[in-house]
Structures are given as structure tokens and as C-alpha cells.
Amino acid sequence: MAGGCTLVSRWTGLFFILIHCVLISRAFLPNFWSRILTLSWDSYTHQYMTEQALVNVTMETLRMQGYQLHSSSQAGLGRAFWQAVSEVVSANADMDFLSYARSDPVYHFDSERVEEATEMLRDFWKQTILLTNKKEYQAARLRLGQLFHSLQDFYSHSNWVEMGQYSEYLHLLHTEEPAVPVASEDTPTCAVCHRFSCYNNLLEELVKGPPQPLLTTGYFSAYPAKPAGKCSHGGILDSSRHQGAEGGINKDSTSPLFSPHHYLHKEAARLATTATLNVLRDLRDEVGHKAFLRLFSVQQPPALVFVMDTTGSMFEEITAARMRVLSIIQTRARNPNPGLPGTFLLVPFHDPDVGPVLETDDPDEFQRFMENLMALGGGDEPEMCLTAIQLALIHSPPLSEIFVFTDASPKDSHLYNTVKALILEKKSKVTFLLTEDPSQGTREKGMKKRKRRETLSPDRFNLYSSLSSLSGGMTVFTTNKDIHKASAIVEDSTASSKVTLFHTEGEAHSSHSFTVDHGVSSVMLHVAGKLTQCVLSSPAGIDQSLLSGAGPLAELDLSEGLYRVSLLPPIEPGQWRLSMTAHGPITFNVLGDGTLDFLYYFAVEMNETHPGLRRVEGNPVAGEPAFLVLAVTGLSSGNEATFSHVTLLVNKGESLNKVLLNSSSSGPFGGELVGHIDSVPRTPFSLRLSGEDGKGNRFERVSAEMVQPTHVQILVLSAPQLLSGHPSLVLFEVFNHGPERQFTLTAEDDCGYLSDTSRYRFSIEQRGSVRREVELKTPQSTPAGQTVTLTLTVQAQDSLDSNYAVVHLTVLPEEPDTSPPSCSLMRLESGCPLECSLGNWSVSLTVKDYGHSGLASVKLTEGQGILKVFHEQITWRTESPLTELRENPVTGHTSPVMQLHEEPRERQHLRHRTRIRDRGSRVEKGRLVHGDPALDISEWARGKPITLHYMSSCCIPKAEVLVWDKSGNMRRCHLIASQQRALREKENSAASSTTHTLLTMLTLLGLYIV
């Protein structure tokens, strides 16, 4: 009986998962977790199709370049390649999660917006080409992911498959190819279907003609209003599926609950995958094979990034850096399979000048950059070091190793939070080589000493130490005499096959264990600090005092401030130990030659229009649940390995928490490993992955950067593209997950386009938020393809709580604006009784302009009600996210099925993804009735969305609003109230029926099992 009860509880759990997932997916499912939420294990997701296409075309390109590939070649593509793939996949999935995109039919080929969606698709293509040619690879990957999402959605949301088409629709990206006409608004497209599975519900004349077939796509939810006889998207929470013609046509999954045309899912996925493959091949042909491989960082070693102080006291440091560059280039040239040479970046600085940023993929050119460096001028302290690091982080690829050579403290300490945000966003390491030791009174005899404008604190380098600790790098205090030897850390850290086995910071007396496995070789230990005793112990119990001379275990290379310890071959696998006594704190790092490594991110479950896991941007929220998602890289197909858990470590190396892992069995590189954290620790931590190989041998890998849990978040609501000579607004919201308190917000960009760089101070109540915008003014002379990195940081004034958002913006070429404005439903309410004169109905809309000209005017052309026009006044305001959480954002009421999970949904909104509310500090700008001239809104709209609110008697159930932009493009927005009452009644009935059906299934299953 106990066993039966256990099984029943499991089925009960599955039932509540189903209830939890009444969150219709209106695209191919975003990622691997969506298949779990929807119980459609064999569905093809956006993630899977995108990953498969990227890997296949990359391998194909390498073969075309003459590389000899074998079955395990995917493991050799490099960790940077998988990072690039994850960026494309994330940009794709985010189209289902971002507030501005998830419900917009144009991004998803919904609601017969085929022409607008096709135009947007072509814009994404042009931007991808432009950015790749400009070597703005990270921005290009973002555009490519967005392109893939819309392209893949076409085959799932349209009737292309039902037409009997066996190849892709070339016209979407090739204007010269023939187009298939789209069904007009008054053309019926579907027949009624009252079942979960809808067979042959597309009208035959639509699919076959005569005179020719017509394209259609399904309508989703209540807006735009679905005309009579049109197809719905379909699925258990698409409210439009109850309007004639009932049913739906989406092929997003293999589940009939979510996809009425589930039986065609695999054919739609096949065409979507083919289209994705061909886009990548076209991209390769357009930009060239070399640029294509660079776009995805294929087989590239870590970027070599130098930030160099060039004041007069830095001659020895510059000389040492030149020698290291020469040695690294020569070593890479001797590699029999060198791959691409990687990125080289140099940012010189002194006071007041910083830059220019010198970037190249040519090793010889980088050597010339280094040779041209001169230690001249300046000589006084402090210097503009953080500005230079900021530029290095912006221009270098993710996962870079950045080395800073200086003997001066930072003059621009106000940039600390900005640099910290960029480090966390890029997951790059920053190591400082400082030839000014604050514990020493003077330099060595004969060395040029800096002038001091003022008496400087001995802890003036603390910001550097903090940044290196955060990033998993090191701060090495050395001397001019020893800088040549100490700079060997650069060469140790930038080999393409280096993995981190251990990283910690210790006190004066500390002992640390680390594991060396069979998969690594050439193990190197780095200790930064001043040691008085250091004993290395092998797994066999052999000890060697490293400071006492040669021994059997390792070889020591000693320079002031840095100890480099090379384990002697043959290296014994197992647990090693290093015991140290030091003057002051130390940093201890262990590197090994190997390919097995991992990438990770934090995610939260999304329960809005698309089920899935959304990546947490910025720092995770402390004290709240989160998913930890890992992707293992560098594991060849022939090597078996299991990964049991991740240990969360504080910076002293102590264990904070253990997170058990389960494989999702998704993705071309062995699948994500997923762990659930019940409560994110409040203490900063790093990650250590533990597992075993096929023979049971233990191994560990460490990601040394420190995760910074927090109680504040920044959510970017809109990030427009930039146009030369035009202002642009970035809208964002700051959420406070802690008690009421004061915050400071800063905004920094790398091009100086911000209109106002003042710090903003404001108060947010407990569980409240404020909304804000910043304006960027792009100069008229700015070339197309220029990228701008906007970094937003928020800091609590009474604690260390902080968070960030990094926004990547691109300047686009100005072309004629042919895109009409769009209307998106925010809220539709109707309490219409049988006697229509006794009630009113109302609707709220957001109107925005897709083009660059901006909104111009609005007019009510049909209806007897009142249209109010609002401008959202972006001022500092406090708003509780509890507002309207209990209401359905579409219908204004809560359905019975949704009530079952009202409590968990509320908790989730409060914690990680508070819904963007549709009410704010709005100022009424005008009222219109039928017959009034168009209202001019061009002066105050300024490129921002506006809100329209229409109210009318239930006896007049229809209205029409026209909206123009400044280029004369016009959109008709049809408002219909008559569907609302029937919709609510049918939703309640259908929800009750669905719940009853599922409960019946659960009861039968439970009785059978018991």
C-alpha cells in the first residue's frame, strides 16, 4: 500500500505540473525545460534546432577549410565556441520571454502579420551581415538568434506545411523569389474544430486554391481581434480558440493540449531546421569562411588582452609585456593544429588620455602595437585605469583573460560598479601586475619614482584586488626587477587548453586540497602573496617543501609576489594538498592542460505566454529559488562521464551548499545539467563541478568568478536600435526584493552618447519598483554598424546589494521608414449584461512605432465612445508588484484553472519575474470622439509608446482607431467588445471541462496503480 501511495503521489505531481503548465506556448518550445513542463518529450525546441544547425554548418565549414575531422571533433571546437552558441540560443529563446517581444505577433508570424514579420526578418539579416563585417561579433550573434526565432516560428504558425510544401519558403529572405499571397482580412481560413487535435480544419480552397493557395497564420489571444472565420493559434490557453472558427493550427509541440496540429510538428521542425541551416550557409557565403568561423569563435584560444599604463615609470613593465607577447605568438605558431589565431587587444592609458583601443586578429600586427608603446609623460598618481579596463571588457570577447600592468592607483574609482558589471556579464578574468607595493615605502634604488599630487592611502589598490577577486583573477604585487618573471602568468593563463582545477583566497595560515584527474596534464600552481613556508603533498603522501629547494614533486619559479609551481611528470592523479604560511593574504590558483570544462547560468521558470526557463540577467536574487543550468564542454563522444553535483564555494574555498544535478539530455554537447537551488545563498560564491569518468575516477572543474547574490534587480523593458542624428530612449525598471530603502543608479556608455550621466537617487518600498529611462543622442556622423554598450548599475545605500544590466545597442543605416505603427492589447474589460444599455466595455492599448520616424497622430474613425490618449510620464515612482497580480492580463478575470496555482505564480512574480504592469504614472494628453480631427502626438511621443484607452456602451460593440507615424505609415486598430462576454463564458466552461478531464484521468490512474 505504501508503494501504491508513492506512485499516486507521483501522478499527482504530474497532474499539478500539467496544471502549472496551462501557459500556452506560442512558438516552437523555447528550450529543453519547455519539453518537461509540457510533457512533450519528443518535441523539437528552438534551442535544439539552433544548436544542431550551428554545429553542423561549423563542422561543414571546417571540412571545406581542409581540417581533418573525426568523431570527437566537436569536443575540439573550444569552450569559446559553445559560449557563442549559447548566446545565439539565448537570443532566440528570449523572444518568447522579453516583455516587448513575447506578445507581439510580428516577432512570431502570428495573426496574419506575415508582411511585417517578413520585413523584420530581412532587417535582422541585414544587421547580422553588417555587424559581422564590422567584427562586432557579439552583437551579430544577438541579431542572428532573433532572426532564427522568427524564421522557425513561420513554419510552426503558418499553413505552409499544410499546403503540402516540402521545401522552405525562400521569399522570406530572398526578395527575388516568388511570394505566396496572404489571405485578406475578410477571407475565412479555418473550419470549426472542437477537439484538442484538429484535422483538416484549414479550408480546402485556402490550401489548394483556386486560383492559388493563400498563406495564413493563427491568431493568438484577444488582440489583434480575430475576424470571423479565421484560424487561431490554438492550445489550451489561447483565448481566441473559442471564437469562430474554433480550434487552431499551431505545430509548436507534439502535445495536442498545446498544439492542435501536433501531428505535423516534426515536418514543421524539419523545414525550420532546413531554413536555419541555409541561413547559416548563406551567411558563410556572404561574409567568407574565416569571418564565419570567427563569428562563432571556432577553435580560438583565449583572447590576449593587455591594459597598459604608459606613463614614464612603466618602461620595464612595457618591455616585459612585449617579451610575453612574442613568446605567446611563437608558441601558438608551433602548434601543429593552430586553428584561428584568436583576438589580440591593447588598451594604453595614462592621465588624462585613454586608448585608442587597438584590436586585431593578426599576431604580427599586435606585435607592432606593442613595439610602438612608449613610456612617456605623466608620472604622477593616480591614473585612468578603470576607464581602460572598461574599454577592454567592452571590446574583448566573453571568457577573456585581461592583464593590467600599472604602478598607479585608479583616478576613476566612480567606474568601479560599471567595471564590476562588465566582468560579471562577460565572465572574463582580470589579473593585475602591480609594480608599486603599498607595503613598501619606495621603489628599488635607481628606479624612477612617481610624483604624488597628494598623500595616498596604502589601501589605494583595494579596488584592483576586489575586481580580481570577483573575476577569479589575481593581484600580483611585484617589482620592476621581477616583472619579467612575474609576467609569465600571462603565458600560463592564455593557452587554449587551460582549465581551472582550483581557486581560492586564503589567510596567513591555510591548507587547501585540489584534485588532479587523468584528463589533465602540465599542472601549474599560482600563489600570489608573500610566503614563509609552503609544503606540497601528493596523493601518495609524499611531501616537498617548495621554499627549501628542488624535490620530487614540483619545480618552483619564484619572483617577488608570485610563486609558479609546475608539477613534475608523471603527475599522479588524485587529491593533492598545499599548506602555506604567509605574511598577509594569499590567492591560490591551479591550472591544468585539458579540454573538459563547463559553462553555466542561472534561470527561473517562466509561467506567462511560453513555458520554459529564462536566463537570469544580472545577479540572481538572494534567498529565492533558482535553477542552475550547466553545459559541459570538451567531452569527446567516446569518453563516458557522469556529473553528480555542483558545490557552491565562498572565496575562502569553504563549501556553502551542494546542488545535485540531473541531465536534461538536450543539446549537441551532451545536454544541460540542471540543478535546483531552493534558496540562493546570500553570500558571494563560486562553482565547482564534480563528477567521475567511465572508470570511476573523480574529477573537478572550477568556475572561479564570484556570483554576487542580491535583493535588487534591473529589467530592461526596451532597447531600441540607434540612428545617426536621432535620440533614442532605453526604458528599464528597478525592483526591490528587500525592505524599503534608498538606491543609487548610474548609467555609463563607452561612446559618450548619454544625454545625462548624473547619478540618480531614489527610494523603493518593500517589494516595489521604479521605472526610468535614459536617452542617448547619436551624433550625425556616427557610421552604421557602430555598437554602443550601455551599462546600468544600481546600488543600495545601506548595504552591499547591487545589480546591473548591460545593453548592447547598434547604430543602423537610415533607410526609408515603411513600417506602420503597431497596436498591442494591454487590457480588455466587459461587464456587458443582456440589456446592452446597462453596461460599458473598455480596452487599453499600447501603440508603438516599429520604424524610426516616431508616432505622429491618432484618430477615432468608428465608434460612439471616448478615446483617451495617455503619455507615460517616466518619473521616479514607487509601485508595488502586487498590483493586479491576481488578474488575467488579457481578460481581466482569473480562470478556475489559473486559480489552482495562484499562490505559486504570485510568489514567482514577486521573486524573479515580476510582471510588467500596464498602469503607471500616465498623463492624459487628449480625448477624441468620432468626427474629431486627428490628434497630433508627435511633439510629446518622442519615439516612445503611447497608451490608448477606449470606453463605450455595450450597445456599440465595435470601434476603429487609426494611428500614423511621421513617414505617413498608417495602422488600423480594430476594437471589438462583442467577443468578450462569450469568450469569458467559454473560457470558464472550457477551463472547468479541462480540469474535470484531468482529474478524471488522475483518479483512474490512481485507482489502477493502487
Side-chain angles (χ1 to χ4, degrees), residues 342-625:
T343 298
F344 299 90
L345 196 101
L346 172 64
V347 185
F349 73 94
H350 57 277
D351 184 15
D353 297 326
V354 178
V357 177
L358 302 171
E359 182 178 359
T360 183
D361 54 17
D362 182 350
D364 295 330
E365 184 178 25
F366 189 66
Q367 264 190 274
R368 290 194 292 273
F369 290 162
M370 296 299 297
E371 292 298 328
N372 290 335
L373 282 181
M374 301 293 290
L376 296 173
D380 54 354
E381 190 179 356
E383 303 289 353
M384 302 290 285
C385 185
L386 296 190
T387 303
I389 298 173
Q390 176 192 11
L391 291 176
L393 286 161
I394 288 171
H395 290 274
S396 60
L399 309 178
S400 292
E401 298 272 356
I402 299 175
F403 298 93
V404 182
F405 290 77
T406 186
D407 60 357
S409 55
K411 182 179 184 179
D412 42 6
S413 58
H414 65 280
L415 289 176
Y416 172 78
N417 281 336
T418 299
V419 171
K420 175 181 171 182
L422 291 168
I423 287 172
L424 293 170
E425 196 246 353
K426 289 287 186 80
K427 287 187 168 68
S428 292
K429 292 183 181 178
V430 183
T431 293
F432 293 85
L433 293 163
L434 303 176
T435 49
E436 174 76 9
D437 191 335
S439 67
Q440 301 292 328
T442 60
R443 287 182 170 231
E444 300 102 312
K445 184 177 180 180
M447 295 298 166
K448 184 172 181 179
K449 186 177 178 181
R450 280 187 178 267
K451 299 174 184 177
R452 306 272 168 76
R453 294 195 184 108
E454 56 189 46
T455 302
L456 299 175
S457 168
D459 61 359
R460 64 190 181 279
F461 295 109
N462 283 0
L463 288 185
Y464 296 158
S465 299
S466 177
L467 290 173
S468 66
S469 176
L470 170 80
S471 70
M474 307 183 89
T475 297
V476 179
F477 290 99
T478 188
T479 63
N480 284 48
K481 182 178 68 177
D482 281 357
I483 186 62
H484 295 274
K485 293 180 68 176
S487 65
I489 192 174
V490 176
E491 204 160 346
D492 296 338
S493 305
T494 54
S496 58
S497 58
K498 291 296 183 185
V499 296
T500 303
L501 305 180
F502 188 81
H503 183 89
T504 190
E505 296 177 358
E507 300 298 337
H509 302 279
S510 57
S511 182
H512 304 282
S513 298
F514 60 94
T515 300
V516 176
D517 58 85
H518 292 271
V520 297
S521 59
S522 303
V523 177
M524 174 70 71
L525 285 59
H526 292 149
V527 181
K530 295 184 178 181
L531 299 179
T532 58
Q533 186 178 359
C534 186
V535 177
L536 179 67
S537 303
S538 72
I542 301 173
D543 295 340
Q544 178 184 340
S545 177
L546 296 175
L547 301 183
S548 301
L553 302 179
E555 183 177 82
L556 173 65
D557 179 39
L558 172 62
S559 58
E560 180 70 27
L562 180 67
Y563 302 79
R564 298 173 60 246
V565 180
S566 304
L567 298 191
L568 296 174
I571 300 174
E572 182 183 359
Q575 191 172 73
W576 293 68
R577 177 171 292 275
L578 191 69
S579 301
M580 294 168 281
T581 303
H583 289 305
I586 59 98
T587 303
F588 176 37
N589 195 55
V590 182
L591 300 175
D593 271 342
T595 60
L596 179 64
D597 211 334
F598 70 97
L599 303 166
Y600 74 92
Y601 62 89
F602 292 92
V604 292
E605 202 171 280
M606 290 296 293
N607 289 342
E608 296 184 11
T609 57
H610 305 85
L613 288 184
R614 182 182 179 185
R615 182 188 304 253
V616 172
E617 301 297 335
N619 299 316
V621 177
E624 307 294 349

Side-chain angles (χ1 to χ4, degrees), residues 13-69:
L14 284 178
F15 168 73
F16 280 110
I17 289 175
L18 268 177
I19 294 297
H20 186 61
C21 293
V22 251
L23 326 153
I24 189 64
S25 170
R26 44 183 304 233
F28 279 115
L29 301 176
N31 52 37
F32 69 93
W33 198 251
S34 311
R35 300 194 296 195
I36 297 172
L37 290 176
T38 60
L39 305 181
S40 56
W41 317 111
D42 56 345
S43 294
Y44 290 82
T45 64
H46 283 295
Q47 174 184 355
Y48 180 82
M49 291 185 288
T50 302
E51 287 173 348
Q52 287 291 322
L54 285 166
V55 171
N56 289 337
V57 177
T58 297
M59 300 293 283
E60 178 183 285
T61 306
L62 289 171
R63 291 188 190 95
M64 295 169 70
Q65 291 291 98
Y67 287 85
Q68 299 298 316
L69 304 177

Side-chain angles (χ1 to χ4, degrees), residues 243-281:
Q243 306 160 33
E246 290 86 346
I249 64 170
N250 92 71
K251 299 163 281 294
D252 291 342
S253 73
T254 57
S255 168
L257 290 175
F258 292 88
S259 300
H261 283 201
H262 58 92
Y263 51 90
L264 294 174
H265 167 76
K266 292 187 178 180
E267 180 59 22
R270 183 188 68 80
L271 288 175
T273 300
T274 300
T276 305
L277 286 165
N278 287 334
V279 164
L280 288 169
R281 290 173 180 136

Side-chain angles (χ1 to χ4, degrees), residues 160-203:
W160 183 258
V161 173
E162 289 85 347
M163 285 181 180
Q165 301 286 353
Y166 296 102
S167 58
E168 59 182 307
Y169 185 28
L170 295 176
H171 178 72
L172 291 177
L173 286 171
H174 301 276
T175 55
E176 70 279 6
E177 297 292 338
V180 177
V182 180
S184 63
E185 186 174 336
D186 57 356
T187 301
T189 56
C190 267
V192 172
C193 170
H194 293 293
R195 298 180 300 275
F196 284 125
S197 299
C198 291
Y199 295 90
N200 302 316
N201 60 326
L202 280 158
L203 298 181

Side-chain angles (χ1 to χ4, degrees), residues 688-699:
R688 182 179 68 210
L689 173 65
S690 299
E692 293 182 351
D693 62 21
K695 297 180 180 180
N697 299 308
R698 179 185 169 193
F699 58 79

